[in-house]
Amino acid sequence: MRKMKNMLILAVMIFSLWITTGLSLSAEETKPTSGNPDNRLEEILQRGKLIVATSPDFAPQEFIDDSKKGQAQYVGSDIMMAQYIADQLGVELEIQAMDFAMVLSSVDLGESDMAISGFGWKEDREISFELSDGFNKTGEAACQGLLIRRADAEQFPTLESFDGKLIAAQAGSLQENYVQTQLPQATLETITSMDIGILSLTTNKVDALASDCDVAKGYASKDGSLMLADARFDTSKEDQHDGNVLAVKKGEKELIAAINEIIEKINEEGLYEQWKTEAKVQAKKLGIEFDGSDDVIVETKAPGVFDVFVENYDIFLNGLLETLKLAAITVFFGTIFGALIAIIKLSKNPLLRFLTAVYVEVLRGTPILVQLYIFRFFLPMAFPWLNLSKYACVVIALVFNSSAYVAEIIRSGIQAVDKGQSEAAKSLGMSNRHMMMKIILPQAVKNILPALGNEFVTMIKETSLASTFYIGELMYTRTLLMSTKFYAWQPLIIIAAIYFVVTFVLSKGVQYMEKRLSVSD
């Protein structure tokens, strides 16, 4: 028994050592250097790096070039603008990619210096953040419109024709602002991502989807049943915050003042429009098509699921391999931690039993997505000396969550073994270690194998939540194909099929092991 405990403790130490390296496979984050800067601007200058949060799923403003790795894969007009700001400040640029809903939170928590992801000005947002002056508000690059079904084109010749209609727009986006201010008689339905909006539009759940014109043309180029409406939002209003804005943490007046000086130069020289044109050219080289003329009728049919899979099988394969790797790491260390916790929970020490009970109940009683957010943002803040990457934070969260469930499974399996077995072993003079290894655990494994197999299957599926932080696993391919090829629903069906095949094979493997173990009964 003591030897087994030592082995488990050794495994925990190896895991801890591995984590403290920051999982160098994806060590992207750099913490501020030592010193006492008076504000965020001084901290950035002292650090020599501007950390920018974005959600790269909105070509041509911010998207991913999957032919590149690391920081070079993040491209688009917003990324060019972020690079320009960093150059003007005399520092390097680091992009932190994450789900759109978490971009502003990253700034608020101090993990990022600046957020840029197609944001529009909102009064309540200005209360919580320092918002920059507007950019991307003039010229063709600033075009904002409505994506509609081609069959409904005659119904919507003007903005006023959308009165009383249901219009979808991404929550917190510039398009949401335009719908609220310029279509007050329409009903706004907020969505979390563009693919949800496309699904809502193609299934007749909404009448239109507010969108950047280039993005709308991109989706229309893939599905001839959709088109950009002739009506356009007015982007020419003379207002300090009109157009897109970027955000920094509330109270960082020096930083936003420095950024506004740079934005003034960008607006005067028309740089953003140039960057957006360059980004569209770059996107087309990657196969991201933008229908260049509003008058062109694209008689294309949305590609089928099989066609999308054949065209992008390498992307799905890479995502699957990353998912399996993430699940293997999680299951391996989660089982080790879970076994250790289960043994401690069965100890005679009341304090240890209490601490492990709290550990298990907290992790089982809170959503894993919340745990991922906490570990991703608060763990690096609590232990900055660890220099944890986002990959490390996600792995730790998944391991801890899995260990709580595995601990209860193993504990219940051990306690399910009849006490007479241990009493008989002791009467034969067996040590506690031999009794556990030879008598108790073999019987416990047979008892817990179905539940343990279910936990493994569940953990493989829960790795999909890592896509929130752009880890590169299977669910991430949906974001990649949505932003680079404008496929809205096809990747979801393919991903679901792949998950089913993997979990089905694993379930059958567990059933096979159950039968093998039952032979000795």
Side-chain angles (χ1 to χ4, degrees):
M1 184 70 176
R2 182 177 300 172
K3 185 176 180 181
M4 185 172 64
K5 284 184 179 180
N6 292 337
M7 291 176 63
L8 291 173
I9 292 173
L10 178 61
V12 171
M13 292 174 64
I14 293 173
F15 177 74
S16 301
L17 180 63
W18 179 54
I19 287 299
T20 56
T21 65
L23 296 180
S24 59
L25 288 173
S26 59
E28 297 178 356
E29 292 119 29
T30 302
K31 301 301 173 185
T33 57
S34 59
N36 297 302
D38 294 330
N39 53 65
R40 193 75 177 194
L41 178 59
E42 290 186 9
E43 182 180 319
I44 292 169
L45 296 175
Q46 183 184 91
R47 184 199 308 140
K49 182 171 290 188
L50 175 67
I51 303 175
V52 177
T54 190
S55 179
D57 55 4
F58 203 72
Q61 290 179 240
E62 48 264 324
F63 57 103
I64 295 173
D65 182 349
D66 59 347
S67 67
K68 300 177 181 178
K69 301 296 181 182
Q71 290 290 301
Q73 67 183 315
Y74 304 119
V75 295
S77 54
D78 279 357
I79 306 301
M80 294 179 193
M81 179 175 176
Q83 184 64 64
Y84 183 83
I85 293 174
D87 291 341
Q88 293 295 304
L89 294 176
V91 297
E92 296 179 3
L93 173 67
E94 179 180 307
I95 298 296
Q96 286 192 355
M98 61 192 69
D99 186 76
F100 182 80
M102 293 305 300
V103 173
L104 287 174
S105 297
S106 174
V107 170
D108 191 38
L109 293 170
E111 279 291 295
S112 304
D113 304 313
M114 184 178 85
I116 181 170
S117 197
F119 295 116
W121 182 89
K122 293 181 70 175
E123 184 177 358
D124 56 345
R125 183 173 291 158
E126 190 171 49
I127 295 174
S128 302
F129 298 90
E130 300 294 341
L131 301 181
S132 73
D133 293 342
F135 58 92
N136 187 27
K137 56 183 179 179
T138 59
E140 182 183 354
C143 177
Q144 301 290 334
L146 293 147
L147 187 64
I148 60 173
R149 293 179 289 273
R150 190 173 294 277
D152 299 336
E154 295 182 359
Q155 298 182 34
F156 304 117
T158 63
L159 280 181
E160 290 72 20
S161 60
F162 287 94
D163 288 349
K165 301 299 182 179
L166 185 59
I167 312 296
Q170 192 169 18
S173 67
L174 177 62
Q175 293 77 31
E176 181 187 31
N177 286 3
Y178 284 134
V179 173
Q180 291 173 330
T181 57
Q182 299 185 33
L183 291 175
Q185 302 304 316
T187 302
L188 172 66
E189 178 168 312
T190 56
I191 55 175
T192 56
S193 61
M194 286 296 291
D195 61 329
I196 300 298
I198 295 296
L199 286 171
S200 299
L201 183 61
T202 55
T203 56
N204 299 321
K205 302 299 182 183
V206 298
D207 298 300
L209 172 62
S211 171
D212 176 277
C213 292
D214 287 322
V215 174
K217 292 175 185 178
Y219 279 110
S221 71
K222 293 296 184 181
D223 188 346
S225 68
L226 304 177
M227 66 171 289
L228 178 64
D230 292 333
R232 301 286 192 275
F233 291 112
D234 183 4
T235 63
S236 62
K237 294 182 179 179
E238 293 296 330
D239 184 86
Q240 180 186 8
H241 295 298
D242 195 45
N244 289 119
V245 298
L246 55 81
V248 302
K249 191 170 184 178
K250 191 67 177 178
E252 297 297 339
K253 302 291 185 180
E254 296 82 3
L255 177 57
I256 201 65
I259 290 173
N260 282 335
E261 287 184 13
I262 299 171
I263 289 178
E264 183 179 1
K265 182 178 179 181
I266 290 172
N267 290 337
E268 288 177 353
E269 299 181 8
L271 294 178
Y272 193 88
E273 189 168 353
Q274 297 176 28
W275 292 329
K276 200 163 187 181
T277 300
E278 292 176 20
K280 289 169 66 175
V281 172
Q282 186 176 15
K284 286 187 177 182
K285 291 179 180 178
L286 298 173
I288 307 175
E289 295 294 336
F290 299 102
D291 177 14
S293 172
D294 298 337
D295 298 326
V296 174
I297 298 177
V298 185
E299 297 294 348
T300 57
K301 183 180 179 181
V305 172
F306 182 75
D307 295 329
V308 172
F309 176 74
V310 171
E311 178 188 349
N312 304 281
Y313 75 92
D314 55 331
I315 295 177
F316 289 110
L317 177 60
N318 290 335
L320 174 60
L321 292 177
E322 187 62 40
T323 290
L324 294 177
K325 182 179 78 172
L326 190 60
I329 293 172
T330 301
V331 167
F332 178 74
F333 287 109
T335 301
I336 292 175
F337 271 83
L340 180 62
I341 293 167
I343 292 173
I344 294 175
K345 200 171 183 181
L346 291 172
S347 70
K348 297 180 180 180
N349 189 311
L351 178 59
L352 291 178
R353 290 202 307 270
F354 173 77
L355 292 176
T356 52
V358 171
Y359 175 90
V360 169
E361 294 306 320
V362 169
L363 289 172
R364 294 203 308 165
T366 54
I368 187 171
L369 186 58
V370 174
Q371 295 170 24
L372 282 168
Y373 286 151
I374 291 173
F375 277 83
R376 170 65 184 87
F377 292 113
F378 291 101
L379 194 62
M381 293 171 62
F383 305 100
W385 50 273
L386 288 178
N387 194 26
L388 293 171
S389 70
K390 65 180 179 182
Y391 193 93
C393 295
V394 168
V395 168
I396 293 172
L398 293 175
V399 167
F400 277 34
N401 179 271
S402 178
S403 67
Y405 288 92
V406 171
E408 285 299 280
I409 292 171
I410 294 176
R411 180 195 59 78
S412 62
I414 292 174
Q415 290 184 326
V417 178
D418 192 279
K419 290 184 178 180
Q421 301 286 324
S422 57
E423 293 173 356
K426 289 180 180 179
S427 66
L428 293 173
M430 296 182 70
S431 66
N432 288 336
R433 181 175 65 85
H434 280 92
M435 176 186 68
M436 183 64 69
M437 298 298 295
K438 301 293 185 180
I439 305 297
I440 304 301
L441 284 182
Q443 296 182 71
V445 167
K446 288 195 291 185
N447 294 335
I448 68 176
L449 190 59
L452 202 58
N454 288 335
E455 171 60 18
F456 292 167
V457 170
T458 299
M459 189 49 59
I460 286 177
K461 292 184 292 184
E462 287 185 344
T463 58
S464 63
L465 296 174
S467 64
T468 304
F469 304 105
Y470 288 72
I471 296 300
E473 39 57 71
L474 191 55
M475 198 64 184
Y476 163 79
T477 61
R478 157 188 166 269
T479 301
L480 182 61
L481 293 177
M482 179 188 70
S483 63
T484 60
K485 299 189 178 181
F486 299 107
Y487 293 139
W489 55 271
Q490 299 94 331
L492 291 174
I493 297 176
I494 296 171
I495 291 168
I498 294 174
Y499 272 118
F500 171 76
V501 171
V502 172
T503 55
F504 180 79
V505 171
L506 180 58
S507 298
K508 290 300 179 181
V510 173
Q511 291 177 13
Y512 173 76
M513 291 188 65
E514 284 184 67
K515 291 180 181 179
R516 293 280 303 207
L517 290 173
S518 64
V519 172
S520 60
D521 289 342

